[in-house]
Amino acid sequence: MERVSTATDPFARRVEDRDAAPQYVLPLVVRIEREAPPARTDALETAARAVLLLLTDERSADEGEWAAAVRDWQDGRIRKVVRRARGAEWRRAEALPGITARGELAEVRVYPPVPLDAWPKDLARLQVSGTELDDPAPPGSPRPGEPVVWLNPAVRMTAGKAMAQAGHAAQLGWWSLPPRSAEAWRAAGFPLAVRTAAARDWPGLAAAGLPTVRDAGFTEIAPGSVTAIAQLER
């Protein structure tokens, strides 16, 4: 992920510095059972909350057991990869150290960052493909004042890719907030909505100076594509 840094981003680095750093990835696993898959929007929102839960977990701070890995990951490209699991695969994935976020039906487990070529065996064997999900009905409008991650209506993404982009945007949004607002959001459990913006609204969002995700182009879409925008205070 290429990110647009804000003044309060504590990990702002030049692109060449991030490329030179050791590269880590944040693994996320979504539970997709054949008979009861989650709705797409539910999965996207749950993935975004999962990222925030890991970032703010005490194990990711100071001298916590995940802190070094989180710092190394944030020094690089802030990559996230979403894989899918069901049945015994999910039970093995849940047994590994991490945090499970739950939505209406969606379950997404996030893990401390790992080197690109050193995934835990039970995660490395999981599939990246096959994460396509649908919404049984169009999601409603976000509630008044609710933080929103807006997806670019002109960029087509699989559900897994969109989950990673929603997580990127939520992370940038978290970094952009003043401390009091950030703490209030955390205390409330990180409520948020993920929606695809209307085509007529996207230019205004893109020009508003909001935390913006520009994809690095490793998978699915062209490098530099703007995929998501975080609008946390309205």
Side-chain angles (χ1 to χ4, degrees), residues 106-126:
E107 295 179 75
V108 178
R109 190 160 180 85
V110 61
Y111 304 86
V114 298
L116 281 175
D117 57 355
W119 282 64
K121 180 178 64 176
D122 284 333
L123 300 184
R125 65 178 59 171
L126 299 177

Side-chain angles (χ1 to χ4, degrees), residues 9-50:
D9 180 350
F11 302 100
R13 294 169 60 95
R14 296 191 307 275
V15 171
E16 57 267 27
D17 290 338
R18 294 200 304 276
D19 285 339
Q23 297 299 306
Y24 283 68
V25 62
L26 187 78
L28 296 106
V29 175
V30 56
R31 184 179 187 181
I32 303 180
E33 300 290 348
R34 285 192 177 89
E35 301 304 320
R40 180 184 176 99
T41 296
D42 187 17
L44 268 56
E45 293 172 348
T46 304
R49 285 196 303 273

